[in-house]
Amino acid sequence: MTMLRTQANPEVRQLRPNVVSFWGLVSQSIAGTAPTCDVVAFMTAGAAFALVAMPLSYLAAFLLMFIEVNTIYHLTKHRASAGGYYSFVASGLGAPAALVTGFMVAFYQVLSIAGIPIYVGGVFLPGLFTQLGWHVPWYFWVVTVLFFIGVPWLLGVLGIRPSIRVVALTSLLEIGFLILSSLWIIHKAFPAHPLLPFSWQFVGFKGVAMGMIFAITSFIGIGSHTSLGEEARGVRTQNGRVIGKAALVSLTLVGVALTLSAYALTVGWGMNDMVNFAKNGAPGVVVFHQYLGIWGAAALVILAINSAMADSLALLNSSARVLFAIGRDQLIHQHFAHVNGQQAPAGAVAFIGGAAVALALICAAIWGPRNAFNVMTTAVLFGLVTAHTLMNVALMRLPRTPGEEAPAWAIFHVLLPIIATLLFWWVLYESIFPIASPLEWSPILWLLVLVPATIYALRKTRQLDKQRGHQLGILPGAEYEETTIDSSDP
């Protein structure tokens, strides 16, 4: 093992350092999960498969992601950069795997940025307006896509400071509202058989796994703050651990809020009537209105709309910085490595925003908003599982640091990553096969990106020095040292 220090490069422009606090990182991570939007969108979609076991799907996804966040926490001890997962994988697996990871992160985050506005504008709001006796034109979802991606696009080019201010104002408010509201609904609608929603006997393992597609993708933004490593405070003094701590805190808050919300909606709607829950355009609003009145329902709608906006902003900032880091390493066009006067990667932001708009319009036009959301969400899971598998393997490849006990290293660097990886792929397999139309397009979308990305990564990094390959994503001129695998390691 060697300790490597990057060399300063005065030609590389940098992101604005030391502007994101610990709670700013937590807020970015929470915003990336869009918790209130998950309640009105992902839970409705997941209930179509998990039915009464929807809370079990969310609890299982929460526990799986808690195991997986172990990988994020331990990789952040080695480095923190704008590359996020891309840089993490480079430390353990080198350049080709890192580049594939970066492309996978951009792939699934762009799909998520595109998918949520489709559901909000094409399913949730039209369903809500229909219940109120109002009619919306067919192109309403087009307007919402342009609005929910366009506004974050503009905020993204203004730099990280205004973006963090936006998400910090509402993220913790969302969490508090969901937890308190859910506890109240559970109190008022406490069932005679309270453990029934945590049983798979009515839907089987497959039903729970299908529900976990939407439950796991509810957590995809947990790592969206990792790409703010160069803009965060305390990274050098804590050797990157502040990024891992933020992941643990945000996952705990979001996991508790979503699991309670899933249980509250299930018992509040009626455990024996979850088929109609899934068919309703806005079942969450119905439940909140029944138990919290008009103001509770209105608060849910307002926070859900804000949540969709904050999610797009958080994921856009995250994926744009990953592309910025790859561009800075000269592995894609240098346009992505440019920053504007606000030290924001404007070129990368524009690419991500434009790609999300194009995908949203194309997919919704082909399959319709509801089916497009399901196809894109399942494709998100493919990309997420791929990226996290590479991260888990990268963690296992990192050698034990001096002073680290062998049993602890074996548990946190080997056992837990293996468990998380196996569970990810089991959920993916159980939820996809046999494939039901139009979900067969999900793996096709994934392969259309994965195969070219792998070929490109192998060819682009072929002449790259192996030692340099383990340093990808590190800020040139960084003052703190990074731990990587020695180039002589097998």
Side-chain angles (χ1 to χ4, degrees), residues 157-189:
V157 300
L158 294 178
I160 195 60
R161 191 190 298 271
S163 297
I164 288 297
R165 286 176 178 171
V166 170
V167 299
L169 286 173
T170 57
S171 294
L172 295 178
L173 176 62
E174 282 188 58
I175 295 295
F177 173 76
L178 291 177
I179 290 176
L180 294 177
S181 299
S182 297
L183 290 174
W184 177 256
I185 294 171
I186 294 170
H187 168 71
K188 300 293 289 186

Side-chain angles (χ1 to χ4, degrees), residues 43-91:
M43 288 187 185
T44 306
F49 305 100
L51 299 176
V52 67
M54 180 175 66
L56 177 59
S57 291
Y58 269 85
L59 178 61
F62 177 27
L63 296 177
L64 172 55
M65 292 306 297
F66 209 86
I67 296 174
E68 179 61 21
V69 85
N70 161 78
T71 296
I72 297 175
Y73 179 80
H74 285 282
L75 285 173
T76 58
K77 294 191 298 184
H78 296 276
R79 61 179 58 185
S81 79
Y85 293 0
Y86 159 73
S87 184
F88 294 161
V89 172
S91 67

Side-chain angles (χ1 to χ4, degrees), residues 184-483:
W184 177 256
I185 294 171
I186 294 170
H187 168 71
K188 300 293 289 186
F190 196 76
H193 302 285
L195 297 182
L196 186 61
F198 297 105
S199 172
W200 58 77
Q201 60 179 317
F202 295 105
V203 296
F205 285 112
K206 187 171 186 63
V208 174
M210 290 290 288
M212 285 182 69
I213 290 180
F214 302 93
I216 291 174
T217 48
S218 294
F219 291 98
I220 68 164
I222 285 298
S224 63
H225 68 297
T226 59
S227 57
L228 304 185
E230 294 169 22
E231 297 156 289
R233 300 172 192 161
V235 169
R236 290 189 174 93
T237 58
Q238 299 186 45
N239 294 326
R241 285 181 175 85
V242 65
I243 306 292
K245 292 175 183 177
L248 289 170
V249 171
S250 59
L251 176 61
T252 301
L253 292 173
V254 172
V256 170
L258 291 183
T259 303
L260 283 174
S261 296
Y263 188 84
L265 293 186
T266 301
V267 300
W269 180 273
M271 294 187 292
N272 297 322
D273 193 32
M274 291 302 288
V275 171
N276 288 322
F277 177 97
K279 293 179 179 179
N280 190 287
V285 178
V286 173
V287 174
F288 271 65
H289 181 264
Q290 180 179 348
Y291 292 95
L292 296 168
I294 186 65
W295 293 111
L300 180 67
V301 172
I302 293 171
L303 287 175
I305 292 173
N306 172 81
S307 185
M309 186 80 69
D311 173 76
S312 294
L313 177 59
L315 296 184
L316 189 149
N317 279 330
S318 174
S319 50
R321 279 157 176 76
V322 173
L323 293 183
F324 165 80
I326 299 174
R328 189 174 60 190
D329 288 328
Q330 301 182 2
L331 294 176
I332 55 176
H333 197 281
Q334 290 298 286
H335 174 72
F336 292 101
H338 293 167
V339 297
N340 60 15
Q342 287 71 42
Q343 292 181 265
V349 169
F351 176 82
I352 295 295
V357 169
L359 278 172
L361 296 179
I362 292 171
C363 292
I366 294 174
W367 296 301
R370 187 183 293 272
N371 282 333
F373 176 76
N374 289 340
V375 169
M376 296 170 79
T377 299
T378 307
V380 164
L381 185 60
F382 273 93
L384 182 146
V385 169
T386 304
H388 280 268
T389 296
L390 290 170
M391 283 178 59
N392 288 331
V393 176
L395 180 61
M396 289 186 279
R397 283 280 291 137
L398 287 176
R400 186 155 51 98
T401 58
E404 188 174 14
E405 296 293 334
W409 181 87
I411 292 173
F412 294 111
H413 285 245
V414 180
L415 180 60
L416 291 182
I418 289 175
I419 292 174
T421 301
L422 292 176
L423 288 175
F424 270 131
W425 285 102
W426 172 78
V427 169
L428 192 59
Y429 176 82
E430 286 292 330
S431 60
I432 294 299
F433 299 102
I435 298 178
S437 183
L439 292 184
E440 69 271 9
W441 284 99
S442 300
I444 292 175
L445 290 175
W446 170 62
L447 289 173
L448 284 174
V449 175
L450 178 63
V451 173
T454 303
I455 295 172
Y456 177 86
L458 291 172
R459 296 186 62 181
K460 190 68 176 180
T461 62
R462 185 169 45 193
Q463 303 299 324
L464 193 66
D465 178 75
K466 189 173 182 180
Q467 196 84 319
R468 170 62 184 144
H470 286 299
Q471 294 178 306
L472 293 179
I474 300 175
L475 173 67
E479 297 176 359
Y480 56 98
E481 294 182 322
E482 305 289 349
T483 303

